[in-house]
């Protein structure tokens, strides 16, 4: 939201003083897989959901740069002014990584602010073998990383990195006499967001680095990625499941295979999630990919060990066997209750 306000100010010119009335419509671009926070920020910033363009993705659920270019060209021809392009490193549903370098080039060509949502996967930049996949994010105007998602800090600890502080100050800085200080020259965080005061969230991140260390954090992330790959491989050997997306980091998207397909397949997977989660020893989440109900196993806790993933796999297999023996999900498990 803070980045969108800065982008709005840079694109809208005098929005801070005059509001959005009378100027060209401002547009925002994000992939079909981008987090809903993009739309929420557009709503809160006064741009509205209709300003957000959901750009199509490829078969690996990554934004298509060519489709982004077409959307921008269409809007510019209609008199709109592109404000912000959001690329994602680690989408919520699948953990997919947008081709940031290509997206950055398109955004630059159209004078749009480039925001990189690396809330989930940004922590993986600790791993040298992962960094090449993030190529291009160094061109961003702003990047968000949430250490509370995958780095082991507790809620909430969200880090906003930005290249130029001036657009942020231009959008939000407001210092009445009772907040002025004789100690000029310092950085006051009230100029970079809505709240005047902030909790010391950075302390929990500092403690993590001091007490755990970056080497141990990197080992933990590698173990999560490895466990995700091993879980996916075990599903493939079982033969009753299929991957719904490429395995990204510690996130595995999959479905149980049903001979009938269609709605029956969705009911089967809903029932599997209900049975596994009801047990209480593992927790699966879900999403929708290509219009189909999809199960997700996401490994991100510092306490997760291979035995826990093996247990989740065993629960999943047992639930599938039980449903097969009853010829499919019973009626009371097909409606999500």
């Amino acid at each position: 939201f803070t980045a969108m306000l800065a982008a709005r100010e840079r694109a809208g010119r005098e929005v801070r003083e005059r509001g959005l009335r009378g100027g060209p419509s401002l547009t925002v671009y994000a992939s079909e897989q981008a987090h809903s926070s993009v739309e929420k920020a557009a709503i809160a910033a006064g741009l509205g959901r209709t300003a957000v363009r959901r750009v199509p993705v490829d078969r690996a659920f990554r934004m298509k740069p060519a489709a982004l270019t077409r959307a921008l060209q269409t809007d510019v021809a209609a008199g709109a002014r592109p404000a912000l392009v959001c690329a994602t490193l680690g989408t919520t549903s699948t953990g997919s990584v947008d081709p940031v370098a290509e997206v950055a080039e398109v955004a630059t060509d159209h004078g749009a602010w480039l925001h990189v949502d690396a809330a989930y996967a940004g922590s993986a930049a600790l791993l040298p073998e992962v960094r090449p996949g993030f190529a291009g994010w160094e061109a961003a105007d702003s990047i968000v990383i949430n250490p509370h998602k995958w780095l082991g800090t507790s809620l909430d600890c969200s880090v906003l990195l930005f290249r130029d502080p001036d657009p942020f100050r231009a959008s939000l800085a407001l210092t009445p006499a009772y907040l002025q200080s004789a100690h000029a020259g310092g950085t006051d965080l009230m100029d970079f967001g809505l709240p005047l005061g902030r909790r010391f969230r950075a302390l929990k991140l500092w403690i993590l680095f001091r007490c755990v260390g970056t080497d141990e954090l990197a080992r933990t992330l590698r173990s999560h990625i490895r466990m995700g790959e091993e879980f996916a491989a075990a599903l493939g050997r079982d033969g009753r499941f299929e991957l719904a997306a490429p395995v990204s980091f510690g996130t595995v998207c999959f479905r149980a295979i049903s001979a009938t397909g269609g709605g029956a397949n969705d009911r089967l997977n809903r029932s599997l999630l209900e049975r596994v989660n009801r047990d209480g020893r593992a927790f699966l989440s879900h999403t929708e990919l290509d219009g189909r109900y999809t199960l997700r196993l996401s490994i991100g806790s510092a306490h997760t060990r291979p035995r826990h993933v093996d247990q989740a796999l065993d629960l999943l297999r047992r639930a599938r066997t039980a449903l097969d023996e009853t010829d499919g999900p019973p009626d009371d498990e097909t409606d999500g209750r």
Side-chain angles (χ1 to χ4, degrees), residues 25 112 191:
S25 58
D191 294 337

Side-chain angles (χ1 to χ4, degrees), residues 182-235:
H183 304 285
T187 297
D188 198 325
L189 294 181
M190 74 174 183
D191 294 337
F192 298 90
L194 289 176
L196 295 181
R198 296 169 182 263
R199 298 191 303 278
F200 193 3
R201 295 182 182 93
L203 180 61
K204 62 181 76 178
L205 188 56
W206 181 85
I207 289 174
L208 182 73
F209 289 143
R210 291 286 293 176
C211 295
V212 178
T214 53
D215 288 344
E216 183 58 33
L217 289 171
R219 280 191 288 270
T220 298
L221 297 184
R222 284 194 180 97
S223 72
H224 291 167
I225 294 171
R226 183 174 60 253
M227 284 187 279
E229 292 171 345
E230 291 172 350
F231 177 81
L235 284 180

Side-chain angles (χ1 to χ4, degrees), residues 70-87:
R70 288 193 296 270
L72 282 156
Q73 290 174 341
T74 299
D75 286 332
V76 170
R81 182 175 294 161
L84 180 143
V85 173
C86 177

Side-chain angles (χ1 to χ4, degrees), residues 141-196:
D141 293 289
S142 55
I143 301 172
V144 66
I145 300 174
N146 287 356
H148 63 241
K149 278 192 169 67
W150 195 16
L151 206 56
T153 66
S154 58
L155 281 169
D156 55 346
C157 184
S158 184
V159 178
L160 177 66
L161 308 172
F162 48 84
R163 180 178 304 280
D164 182 5
D166 289 342
F168 292 90
R169 290 195 183 98
S171 64
L172 288 169
L174 189 65
T175 309
Y178 48 78
L179 291 177
Q180 293 176 2
S181 170
H183 304 285
T187 297
D188 198 325
L189 294 181
M190 74 174 183
D191 294 337
F192 298 90
L194 289 176
L196 295 181

